[in-house]
Amino acid sequence: MNIQLLLRQNGLKITKPRETILAILREADHGMDAEWIREQAVLRGIYINLSTVYRTLDLLEELNILEKFDLGDHRYNYVLKKDHHRHTLTCEICHKSVDMDCPMTKIEELINRETGFSIKEHHLELKGVCRECAQKKERNASSQKKGA
Amino acid sequence: MNIQLLLRQNGLKITKPRETILAILREADHGMDAEWIREQAVLRGIYINLSTVYRTLDLLEELNILEKFDLGDHRYNYVLKKDHHRHTLTCEICHKSVDMDCPMTKIEELINRETGFSIKEHHLELKGVCRECAQKKERNASSQKKGA
DNA sequence: ATGTATGCAAAGTATTTGCACAATC
DNA sequence: GATTGTGCAAATACTTTGCATACAT
């Protein structure tokens, strides 16, 4: 990934804070919070205001370059998206499908924090029903109760 | 689940706020935040201070009855733990194993929020390496680079 | 009666925002 | 030179905490 190219392609100006933040994100292997990113920048001799860090991070998230999540300590963690791998969910009742980003980055970070393990591969299968079918089912269940 | 029994067994006093909060948690099918729980209590005619809600929720989390997580909007969500189903991770290198709570509740809530789907079943397989082996590997990789 | 729980108000913490100045294109 | 980005300080929103009072056992 060429940082300058990435910024230019997204219509963003090339500035030291942005280049530094992207470089830090790229080189880290696990999730980082805003303050930690700022500290890393300081170690590189670049003083960036925390609000600039947050603004840059928000920007990158909107551009779908970055994933942002909270592991439970009320602090956001940020990781560059590696693959844009997605999951398809199919409703077991009406067979309608929807797509979503693979949720495993969050899980992998969580597992790493809790156990120290780094996940190298995952296989995830999900079975579920869509909102409409779930509601229909619930309505049936309650009318049956009344009718019985 | 008998609420009074549950409280008694954990050495907690039986109070209206606690009974109400537990009843609300038990009857809801998806994650709720503290403010929502308080509003539900008000609907039942019970006025509970928000700090009491938070304190009760913290208590239940410590007792491993409740799961607490942030779905990305800087607000905690709470769900009663259904099954105490756990996952075992085995290091692919040294074969050491560790256990952890199944991380899927959070993901299921997230999926529900993003797509509307309710997950009924999941199957998750993970392959990974423990911290020590990951560090050893990294050391080898860097010494090889230098040696080459 | 004793220890525990609650309400209230104040503090805390990560994040966001408004505005003036500075840098990039 | 026009537009976009940054720093600073103040604001925000959720959560936590200290303390006096009230309640459960």
Side-chain angles (χ1 to χ4, degrees):
Chain A
M1 175 185 75
N2 178 324
I3 289 178
Q4 305 210 347
L5 193 63
L6 176 79
L7 288 170
R8 198 173 294 126
Q9 282 175 339
N10 285 289
L12 300 175
K13 290 188 179 169
I14 297 170
T15 65
K16 264 269 152 301
R18 287 176 179 168
E19 290 181 296
T20 310
I21 292 170
L22 275 166
I24 291 168
L25 285 166
R26 185 177 51 185
E27 286 158 34
D29 47 353
H30 287 303
M32 296 159 279
D33 62 33
E35 179 57 37
W36 195 84
I37 292 173
R38 208 190 57 85
E39 284 165 19
Q40 294 301 308
V42 170
L43 290 180
R44 296 170 187 222
I46 316 284
Y47 287 79
I48 312 176
N49 193 281
L50 245 194
S51 29
T52 301
V53 175
Y54 279 115
R55 279 192 278 235
T56 304
L57 259 13
D58 282 353
L59 218 48
L60 296 176
E61 199 207 359
E62 274 167 38
L63 296 174
N64 248 301
I65 293 169
L66 191 68
E67 195 163 342
K68 166 182 177 180
F69 48 85
D70 184 320
L71 257 28
D73 57 356
H74 249 229
R75 178 177 319 208
Y76 284 129
N77 275 78
Y78 301 87
V79 205
L80 286 184
K81 290 195 183 175
K82 298 147 207 166
D83 50 358
H84 289 226
H85 146 197
R86 292 175 70 77
H87 277 254
T88 302
L89 286 164
T90 304
C91 175
E92 299 220 284
I93 298 175
C94 71
H95 305 288
K96 179 175 61 191
S97 292
V98 299
D99 263 39
M100 65 172 299
D101 270 334
C102 173
M104 288 301 298
T105 311
K106 298 169 184 55
I107 298 295
E108 291 176 9
E109 289 289 330
L110 186 73
I111 292 176
N112 187 264
R113 179 177 296 194
E114 280 189 28
T115 68
F117 272 60
S118 303
I119 302 302
K120 299 298 176 194
E121 265 182 63
H122 72 259
H123 177 72
L124 174 62
E125 280 171 38
L126 297 167
K127 292 190 181 180
V129 296
C130 70
R131 183 179 290 125
E132 293 69 33
C133 291
Q135 282 168 352
K136 262 183 226 160
K137 254 176 109 172
E138 205 174 306
R139 274 199 298 277
N140 284 347
S142 64
S143 70
Q144 220 147 330
K145 236 186 258 168
K146 277 171 203 157
Chain B
M1 175 186 75
N2 179 324
I3 288 178
Q4 304 209 348
L5 194 62
L6 177 79
L7 288 170
R8 198 171 297 127
Q9 282 175 338
N10 285 288
L12 300 176
K13 290 191 177 165
I14 298 171
T15 66
K16 264 266 153 304
R18 287 177 179 166
E19 290 181 296
T20 310
I21 291 170
L22 274 166
I24 291 168
L25 284 166
R26 185 178 50 185
E27 285 158 34
D29 46 353
H30 287 303
M32 296 159 279
D33 62 33
E35 179 56 37
W36 195 84
I37 292 173
R38 208 191 58 86
E39 285 165 18
Q40 293 300 309
V42 170
L43 291 181
R44 296 170 187 221
I46 315 284
Y47 289 78
I48 311 176
N49 192 280
L50 244 195
S51 27
T52 301
V53 176
Y54 279 115
R55 280 192 276 233
T56 304
L57 260 12
D58 282 354
L59 219 45
L60 297 175
E61 200 209 358
E62 273 167 38
L63 296 174
N64 249 303
I65 292 167
L66 190 69
E67 195 162 342
K68 167 183 179 180
F69 47 86
D70 183 321
L71 256 29
D73 57 356
H74 248 236
R75 177 176 322 209
Y76 285 130
N77 275 244
Y78 301 87
V79 206
L80 286 184
K81 291 196 182 175
K82 297 147 209 166
D83 50 357
H84 287 226
H85 145 196
R86 294 174 68 78
H87 278 255
T88 301
L89 286 164
T90 303
C91 175
E92 299 220 283
I93 297 176
C94 70
H95 305 289
K96 176 176 61 193
S97 294
V98 298
D99 263 41
M100 65 172 298
D101 270 335
C102 173
M104 288 301 298
T105 310
K106 301 168 181 57
I107 298 299
E108 289 176 9
E109 290 288 329
L110 186 74
I111 291 176
N112 186 264
R113 178 176 295 193
E114 277 188 29
T115 68
F117 272 59
S118 303
I119 302 302
K120 299 296 177 196
E121 264 180 64
H122 72 257
H123 177 73
L124 175 62
E125 280 170 39
L126 297 167
K127 292 189 182 182
V129 295
C130 70
R131 183 178 291 124
E132 293 68 35
C133 290
Q135 283 168 352
K136 264 184 225 159
K137 253 176 111 172
E138 205 173 304
R139 273 200 296 278
N140 285 346
S142 64
S143 69
Q144 221 147 331
K145 236 188 254 165
K146 278 172 201 154

